[in-house]
């Protein structure tokens, strides 16, 4: 395997603006012919199989795009810091490329900000594109990073993300475009995604734009907009999802939600309909200053099933609605099984059908003397699955 001393681009313009790349306006020097990337600066296109090493302190100073046909492997324990205050700093994986970011519980892979005082929105995030179906079409351009996605390959494989932390994401490009922590555009079900943490994000935590990828153990903490989001005909399964807004995290859009599920805002009947299944989910609001618009807003043709969900709020923290299936661009249809609620989580707003009932309980979580929160086993998500990421929260009584 060859060794790359650096991976960087030399822009012909003095400044790259926005988040799309234009290969005709840039060159890569030295040639990117694959191998271990040992130079610390990351910017540009990866066109051959390459690896990031845990022993190198990487800083991403601009967009990095894994091009079709190439695989980027990231060693367990690698930390990639992103140059803060930019809208053009992100990692993108093209349709036909792969990202193998396979960390471990003891050595996760971390994407973070380089700022001395990091904050939500310091950099973009992770953007992956694949060949799985979308009800937007076969060749659709992603809303960020300018990637094409979509196709007919439900079992497409874009690699693996395991034991990955992405924090301080969500750079805002303009009024309509901003990065999520991790965006999956048309990703197929042979892609492995498990044990993911997105924290301190300035837009959505994790969002699926069509595709069939399944996700296990995903934790979204302190997300300005929606914790878990899908649109465009997403048909995968999400298992063990924990979302929390902590006390003191006040970054928020006008309508932050725990779950936002769409199918197609232009045509709620467009195929494939979004029909995801979610198993073992907790949506928790601890912040009395920021109300969640809804625990689960299921709309625009989405047909979803959620098994074992816990809607929870502590103290004076609240939701506007618990479940909302009413929307002027198309109602949603939700089946809930083994659904529980505790605290001020609002009422349900039914436009499309809400099948199943939510049981009000008082012992789903407790706050012992040390002011930490403890959860009753079997109610919603299993928080212990995220012990590896040292995620915890303390409340003020």
């Amino acid at each position: 395997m060859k060794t790359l001393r650096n991976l960087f681009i030399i822009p012909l313009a003095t400044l790259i603006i926005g988040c799309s790349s234009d290969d005709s306006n840039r060159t890569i020097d030295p040639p990117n012919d694959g191998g271990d990337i040992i130079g610390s600066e990351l910017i540009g296109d990866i066109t051959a199989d390459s690896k990031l090493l845990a022993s190198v302190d990487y800083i991403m100073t601009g967009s990095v795009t894994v091009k079709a046909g190439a695989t980027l492997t990231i060693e367990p324990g690698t930390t990639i810091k992103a140059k803060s205050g930019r809208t053009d700093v992100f990692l993108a994986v093209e349709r036909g490329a792969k990202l193998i970011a396979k960390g471990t519980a003891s050595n996760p892979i971390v994407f973070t900000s380089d700022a001395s005082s990091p904050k939500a929105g310091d950099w973009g995030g992770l953007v992956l594109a694949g060949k799985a179906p979308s009800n937007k079409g076969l060749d659709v351009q992603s809303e960020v990073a300018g990637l094409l996605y979509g196709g007919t390959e439900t079992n497409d494989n874009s690699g693996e993300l395991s034991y990955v932390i992405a924090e301080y994401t969500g750079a805002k490009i303009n009024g309509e475009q901003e990065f999520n922590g991790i965006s999956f555009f048309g990703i197929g079900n042979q892609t492995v995604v498990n044990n993911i943490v997105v924290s301190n994000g300035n837009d959505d935590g994790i969002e699926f734009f069509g595709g069939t990828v399944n996700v296990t153990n995903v934790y979204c903490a302190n997300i300005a907009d929606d914790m878990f989001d899908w649109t465009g005909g997403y048909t995968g399964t999400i298992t063990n999802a924990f979302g929390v807004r902590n006390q003191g995290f006040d970054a928020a859009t006008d309508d932050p939600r725990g779950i936002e599920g769409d199918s197609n805002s232009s045509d709620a009947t467009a195929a494939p309909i979004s029909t995801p299944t979610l198993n073992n989910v907790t949506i928790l609001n601890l912040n009395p200053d920021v109300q969640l618009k809804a625990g689960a807003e299921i709309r625009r043709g989405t047909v979803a099933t959620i098994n074992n969900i816990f809607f929870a709020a502590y103290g004076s923290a609240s939701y506007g609605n618990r479940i909302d299936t009413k929307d002027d661009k198309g109602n949603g249809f939700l089946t809930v099984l083994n659904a529980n609620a505790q605290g001020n989580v609002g009422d349900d707003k039914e436009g499309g059908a809400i099948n199943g009932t939510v049981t009000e309980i008082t012992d789903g979580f407790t706050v012992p003397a040390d002011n930490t929160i403890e959860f009753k086993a079997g109610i919603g998500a299993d928080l212990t699955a995220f012990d590896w990421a040292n995620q915890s929260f303390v409340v003020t009584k």
Side-chain angles (χ1 to χ4, degrees):
M1 181 174 283
K2 297 179 180 178
T3 297
L4 297 186
R5 294 295 175 184
N6 280 289
L7 170 66
F8 62 92
I9 62 171
I10 301 174
L12 298 187
T14 59
L15 180 65
I16 300 176
I17 300 176
C19 66
S20 62
S21 61
D22 184 351
D23 290 345
S24 65
N25 287 334
R26 66 189 194 182
T27 59
I28 295 176
D29 184 21
N32 183 10
D33 54 0
D36 295 346
I37 299 174
I38 62 173
S40 61
E41 183 179 17
L42 300 177
I43 181 170
D45 292 339
I46 295 175
T47 60
D49 293 353
S50 303
K51 180 185 288 187
L52 299 182
L53 307 176
S55 58
V56 179
D57 294 325
Y58 293 107
I59 182 166
M60 189 159 48
T61 59
S63 65
V64 175
T65 302
V66 187
K67 304 295 285 185
T71 296
L72 174 63
T73 300
I74 304 178
E75 283 190 338
T78 301
T79 295
I80 299 100
K81 292 183 178 180
K83 186 70 175 177
S84 63
R86 301 277 295 274
T87 64
D88 61 346
V89 180
F90 58 88
L91 174 62
V93 181
E94 284 190 344
R95 186 170 58 176
K98 288 184 179 180
L99 173 64
I100 307 296
K102 189 175 180 180
T104 65
S106 58
N107 288 292
I109 293 166
V110 179
F111 293 87
T112 189
S113 167
D114 75 333
S116 57
S117 298
K119 63 183 184 301
D122 268 355
W123 64 289
L126 308 184
V127 184
L128 290 82
K131 303 176 184 178
S134 162
N135 62 30
K136 299 289 188 178
L138 295 177
D139 293 292
V140 193
Q141 188 173 56
S142 61
E143 66 178 33
V144 293
L147 304 181
L148 291 179
Y149 71 96
T152 60
E153 299 181 24
T154 59
N155 62 346
D156 189 33
N157 186 346
S158 295
E160 178 171 353
L161 278 75
S162 296
Y163 293 100
V164 171
I165 298 172
E167 55 189 13
Y168 307 110
T169 60
K172 188 177 181 66
I173 301 165
N174 55 44
E176 298 296 326
Q177 293 177 295
E178 53 270 317
F179 285 89
N180 304 309
I182 306 177
S183 299
F184 295 102
F185 289 91
I187 299 300
N189 61 26
Q190 292 302 297
T191 308
V192 175
V193 182
N194 60 62
N195 297 296
I196 302 298
V197 171
V198 179
S199 64
N200 296 290
N202 205 41
D203 193 51
D204 296 336
I206 184 169
E207 184 166 3
F208 305 87
F209 298 82
T212 58
V213 65
N214 304 312
V215 176
T216 301
N217 296 340
V218 55
Y219 185 117
C220 290
N222 297 337
I223 304 300
D225 198 32
D226 307 317
M227 299 170 184
F228 310 102
D229 197 344
W230 67 78
T231 187
Y234 174 60
T235 60
T237 297
I238 302 170
T239 299
N240 204 48
F242 192 100
V244 58
R245 176 179 283 274
N246 286 303
Q247 291 179 342
F249 182 75
D250 295 330
T253 62
D254 293 336
D255 50 6
R257 306 169 180 89
I259 298 169
E260 181 187 88
D262 295 353
S263 190
N264 189 305
S265 60
S266 300
D267 178 5
T269 66
I273 297 289
S274 292
T275 55
T277 297
L278 288 76
N279 301 310
N280 308 329
V281 181
T282 293
I283 303 298
L284 175 64
N285 189 12
L286 302 176
N287 190 336
D289 299 319
V290 179
Q291 184 182 73
L292 293 182
K293 182 175 182 289
E297 188 160 328
I298 307 300
R299 62 186 191 175
R300 299 176 182 175
T302 286
V303 179
T305 300
I306 306 180
N307 302 300
N308 186 20
I309 185 166
F310 184 35
F311 299 107
Y314 171 74
S316 57
S318 65
Y319 299 9
N321 292 108
R322 184 171 59 192
I323 298 172
D324 182 358
T325 60
K326 184 176 178 60
D327 190 84
D328 59 4
K329 294 184 179 180
N331 294 329
F333 305 88
L334 176 65
T335 297
V336 290
L337 305 170
N338 189 22
N340 295 281
Q342 182 175 343
N344 184 12
V345 297
D347 298 320
D348 297 338
K349 183 192 292 186
E350 188 167 359
I354 301 174
N355 298 314
T357 59
V358 181
T359 302
E360 299 286 344
I361 61 176
T362 59
D363 61 349
F365 70 82
T366 57
V367 183
D370 63 358
N371 287 0
T372 59
I373 288 187
E374 295 181 355
F375 295 90
K376 185 176 180 178
I379 302 293
D382 176 11
L383 186 58
T384 65
F386 305 99
D387 286 348
W388 60 272
N390 298 316
Q391 295 292 312
S392 64
F393 31 81
V394 176
V395 296
T396 301
K397 293 183 180 179

